[in-house]
Amino acid sequence: MPIWGIAVWLLLITALLLLLRLYSATGLATRWPYGEEGAETGSAPRLICKPSALANYLLKTCKTFSLDPRAAWAEWPHLQTLCNGMWPAGGELDFVRENLQMSDEGLVALDWAMSDSLSRRRESSSSPAPILLLIPNSLGRLTRNASMLCLLALRHGYRPVIFNRRLHNGVPLTTCKLLPFGDPSDLREAVSYIRYKHPLAKLFAASESSGSGLLLSYLGECGSSSYITAAACISPIFRCQDWLETGALGLYRWLMLLYQKTNLSRYATVLGEIIDTEKLFRSCSLRELEEALFCQTRFINLSWASYWEKNDPLRDVDEVAVPLLCICSNDDPCRGNPEITLPFELFETNPYFFLLLTKHGGHCGFLTSRSSSWSHEALLEYFKSVSEFFRAEERTKSVYRRKVSMMSNKRRGVATHKKESVCSHNIHEIFNWQRSYTR
């Protein structure tokens, strides 16, 4: 980045910090959602979920879940948000882009994170490295948070790959069609492609911020056919309609709106064939911009309510069949008040959803005293524990199958008139992983 660009960023961030500090006195409520128990443990995170065998296993094996992510700047959620979410991504990684043409001739891209030393280490291993599919925020910008997660995942033996939607992160526009906020069609084709190219590798998925809406939509629509072993969201936006209508603090809304307009302005001529570009670039809120793109176009006249009936990320939440961890902070300035924006009932009743809630961390921040991200360490440890839990369940099922086979062979030599003993409990139901997971 040129010197003048760095200077502009420094001036912008300094001004933002001064202005955002004014919100502190009347900002977000910091009351711990579940009474005084959380207050007694300081800023230690809490796992909110429905009791189950997997939940107990996570609490036992994920040591990061009990660590205090507090750092010197914990009381500055805006600083953490700006540092990890808006500061330019570092240059520690190299990415190899793979363009994918969709069924309607639209173009998306997969950016594979690369590191020479780590790649050689993987090549010496006999088993294929697991793949971590990362979905960035809905702005399509590669943040420092996403870059740091890819780097840490490489060090832990994963193959990180970033999914870039149409128009995002330099992906060219080859058709006049853009996909709405919660349409997972392109993501479904990309996952099928990854599965086809790497059939033996385990696939994990992670998302940040508003990109979680796309991941939730995909998991809900695909259910048990998602090909994903486990998923995680960092600072997810659940109630996307309300977020676009009211959203975060005014300065964040202004920055996100400005970035989207700047990105779309490069394709103003092409987009003018399907949308009213004058209305698009005149929009003063994220809702107006979303409506101009997908609701009130030259070929579609759709109400705002009807649009979200088809694109709400939680519309098929009951169909999710993959363990999903959501890492959130109580002082997130972009998501808003947690008592309103976090669906606590979903985590308390659905055994597939886990909420790891901290007092501090900002939006996609969670910075520690070592300038690393606590959320990244917790996410990767969670993936490891889920994999170990599934392997243990599969071993238990294999042992049970062998015992059943041996008993069947023995019974063949017993006289038919001899009454067979009946087991007093159903071992198969007890040790089946899904039963064990949800009970």
Side-chain angles (χ1 to χ4, degrees):
M1 177 180 291
I3 297 178
W4 65 267
I6 297 177
V8 170
W9 269 103
L10 290 174
L11 289 173
L12 177 61
I13 290 178
T14 302
L16 287 175
L17 288 176
L18 292 174
L19 292 173
L20 289 171
R21 191 61 175 172
L22 298 177
Y23 283 97
S24 299
T26 58
L28 299 173
T30 56
R31 181 173 68 84
W32 199 248
Y34 279 78
E36 300 300 326
E37 179 183 353
E40 295 173 357
T41 59
S43 59
R46 289 193 61 201
L47 183 65
I48 301 171
C49 60
K50 181 179 180 180
S52 65
L54 179 55
N56 294 335
Y57 189 83
L58 292 176
L59 288 171
K60 179 182 177 181
T61 59
C62 293
K63 305 302 181 183
T64 313
F65 286 14
S66 59
L67 294 179
D68 187 348
R70 180 183 291 274
W73 43 78
E75 301 296 336
W76 289 74
H78 301 296
L79 176 61
Q80 297 201 58
T81 300
L82 291 172
C83 181
N84 255 11
M86 297 185 179
W87 188 258
E92 300 91 348
L93 287 175
D94 293 324
F95 291 94
V96 176
R97 171 155 293 188
E98 192 172 6
N99 292 312
L100 301 181
Q101 189 176 52
M102 301 290 99
S103 56
D104 64 348
E105 298 185 357
L107 204 65
V108 300
L110 297 176
D111 286 344
W112 296 88
M114 294 295 177
S115 173
D116 292 338
S117 59
L118 295 171
S119 297
R120 287 194 294 270
R121 188 187 308 171
R122 282 198 303 267
E123 289 173 0
S124 63
S125 176
S126 57
S127 59
I131 296 174
L132 175 57
L133 176 63
L134 178 59
I135 302 173
N137 57 62
S138 60
L139 301 179
R141 183 176 178 275
L142 182 60
T143 62
R144 181 175 181 268
N145 177 66
S147 180
M148 288 176 60
L149 177 56
C150 288
L151 183 60
L152 186 62
L154 274 172
R155 292 172 180 169
H156 281 74
Y158 289 83
R159 293 190 61 191
V161 55
I162 297 177
F163 172 75
N164 298 292
R165 305 182 225 192
R166 308 181 187 202
L167 278 185
H168 285 185
N169 198 17
V171 177
L173 182 64
T174 57
T175 66
C176 292
K177 181 180 179 181
L178 297 177
L179 292 189
F181 190 93
D183 188 342
S185 303
D186 287 353
L187 180 59
R188 188 187 303 113
E189 290 192 50
V191 170
S192 299
Y193 171 78
I194 294 174
R195 178 73 175 179
Y196 171 76
K197 295 289 289 187
H198 309 277
L200 299 180
K202 287 186 178 180
L203 179 60
F204 298 89
S207 61
E208 64 167 357
S209 186
S210 52
S212 302
L214 182 59
L215 179 58
L216 286 168
S217 296
Y218 171 77
L219 295 177
E221 283 199 6
C222 295
S224 58
S225 303
S226 64
Y227 300 122
I228 292 176
T229 302
C233 303
I234 300 177
S235 299
I237 304 296
F238 291 101
R239 309 185 192 280
C240 298
Q241 180 180 355
D242 296 337
W243 182 71
L244 287 175
E245 292 174 351
T246 57
L249 296 177
L251 289 173
Y252 290 109
R253 289 201 300 269
W254 178 79
L255 286 173
M256 289 185 283
L257 185 64
L258 179 62
Y259 182 86
Q260 282 194 289
K261 286 185 177 181
T262 303
N263 191 37
L264 292 170
S265 64
R266 296 180 298 164
Y267 303 94
T269 303
V270 178
L271 292 175
E273 300 177 8
I274 56 174
I275 63 176
D276 185 350
T277 53
E278 182 179 351
K279 180 181 179 181
L280 175 70
F281 295 112
R282 199 175 59 244
S283 57
C284 300
S285 66
L286 294 175
R287 170 179 174 169
E288 291 180 7
L289 185 123
E290 191 80 6
E291 284 183 309
L293 282 173
F294 301 108
C295 297
Q296 309 298 325
T297 69
R298 301 190 187 279
F299 305 103
I300 299 175
N301 187 5
L302 193 64
S303 68
W304 183 244
S306 300
Y307 172 76
W308 283 107
E309 285 181 5
K310 299 179 179 179
N311 291 281
D312 187 348
L314 299 180
R315 62 188 182 278
D316 296 317
V317 69
D318 292 336
E319 301 299 324
V320 175
V322 171
L324 176 67
L325 176 69
C326 298
I327 304 176
C328 301
S329 67
N330 205 41
D331 62 354
D332 189 331
C334 285
R335 190 195 60 243
N337 191 332
E339 298 181 14
I340 299 175
T341 57
L342 290 181
F344 289 107
E345 184 180 356
L346 172 64
F347 296 97
E348 294 169 343
T349 58
N350 192 317
Y352 290 98
F353 284 77
F354 302 86
L355 174 62
L356 193 58
L357 185 63
T358 68
K359 271 195 168 183
H360 304 286
H363 188 75
C364 296
F366 305 99
L367 297 176
T368 67
S369 56
R370 295 175 286 112
S371 297
S372 60
S373 178
W374 165 85
S375 61
H376 298 164
E377 298 172 2
L379 180 149
L380 295 177
E381 190 176 32
Y382 158 76
F383 286 157
K384 179 182 177 182
S385 293
V386 170
S387 299
E388 292 173 348
F389 177 82
F390 286 167
R391 282 197 298 268
E393 291 294 329
E394 287 299 324
R395 286 196 298 267
T396 303
K397 288 172 63 177
S398 298
V399 170
Y400 169 71
R401 293 191 191 101
R402 287 196 297 269
K403 288 183 177 180
V404 170
S405 178
M406 292 174 61
M407 291 175 63
S408 299
N409 292 333
K410 289 181 180 180
R411 286 172 181 170
R412 290 173 185 169
V414 179
T416 56
H417 65 274
K418 186 175 181 180
K419 184 178 180 180
E420 295 183 1
S421 61
V422 179
C423 186
S424 60
H425 54 271
N426 192 330
I427 299 178
H428 178 72
E429 289 188 356
I430 292 177
F431 290 104
N432 177 275
W433 80 265
Q434 191 145 353
R435 291 274 303 193
S436 176
Y437 171 70
T438 55
R439 63 184 169 83

